[in-house]
């Protein structure tokens, strides 16, 4: 996988390149990832981390899809114990957990993006998000 990401390096480092496309290409190097738009027209990537689906919705974007922020959201059908959510949200940094409108629990984090994130930075973002998802699942599953 690392080789596939490094092969993308020349293609993704141009400052005029869409950081949405950069992130999509790297997500696709790790598995299936799809780009569409949310109900507000914002670019959104749907993918998963080891079987846990999540979305990345991009905000503060130019017409060329160079975006300054992305929000990662994972939904879990299980309704977490309120004490577990309090424990999770008691940490000063990182993703926030909440009961969602779909009757389950969600984990969300907004990430600031450089105009043209490097593949190494994007891999770090994915790694940190994946670690958070796994830690959260371990906390909420009985």
């Amino acid at each position: 996988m690392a080789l596939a990401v490094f092969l993308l390096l020349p293609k993704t480092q141009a400052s005029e390149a869409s950081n949405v496309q950069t992130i999509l290409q790297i997500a696709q190097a790790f598995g299936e990832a799809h780009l569409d738009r949310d109900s507000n027209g914002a670019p959104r990537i749907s993918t998963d981390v080891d079987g846990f689906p999540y979305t990345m919705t991009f905000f503060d974007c130019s017409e060329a899809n160079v975006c300054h922020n992305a929000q990662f959201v994972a939904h879990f059908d299980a309704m977490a114990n309120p004490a577990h959510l309090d424990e999770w949200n008691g940490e000063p940094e990182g993703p926030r957990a909440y009961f969602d409108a779909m009757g389950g629990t969600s984990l969300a984090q907004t990430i600031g993006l450089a105009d043209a994130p490097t593949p190494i930075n994007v891999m770090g973002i994915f790694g940190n998000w994946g670690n958070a998802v796994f830690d959260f699942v371990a906390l909420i599953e009985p």
Side-chain angles (χ1 to χ4, degrees):
M1 288 297 167
L3 177 61
V5 171
F6 285 111
L7 292 175
L8 294 172
L9 191 62
K11 188 187 259 187
T12 60
Q13 284 202 339
S15 61
E16 70 277 0
S18 160
N19 58 5
V20 174
Q21 287 300 321
T22 297
I23 293 168
L24 176 63
Q25 289 173 348
I26 293 169
Q28 289 172 333
F30 288 99
E32 208 170 304
H34 304 283
L35 177 64
D36 65 0
R37 296 207 174 258
D38 72 4
S39 60
N40 295 318
R44 176 180 58 198
I45 296 173
S46 299
T47 187
D48 72 78
V49 56
D50 288 336
F52 296 105
Y54 69 96
T55 60
M56 291 172 276
T57 304
F58 297 86
F59 301 97
D60 303 322
C61 302
S62 69
E63 288 184 25
N65 279 345
V66 175
C67 303
H68 296 285
N69 296 292
Q71 184 178 53
F72 287 58
V73 177
H75 167 76
F76 303 91
D77 291 332
M79 186 67 99
N81 178 320
H84 289 154
L85 289 188
D86 289 344
E87 177 183 342
W88 181 270
N89 290 327
E91 294 295 320
E93 295 182 17
R96 297 287 139 221
Y98 56 93
F99 296 119
D100 59 38
M102 296 178 282
T105 308
S106 288
L107 188 65
Q109 183 170 18
T110 300
I111 307 283
L113 302 171
D115 287 340
T118 67
I120 302 239
N121 290 347
V122 173
M123 287 173 50
I125 291 168
F126 285 160
N128 290 339
W129 174 251
N131 289 339
V133 168
F134 294 136
D135 290 347
F136 186 70
V137 168
L139 179 70
I140 67 170
E141 287 193 348

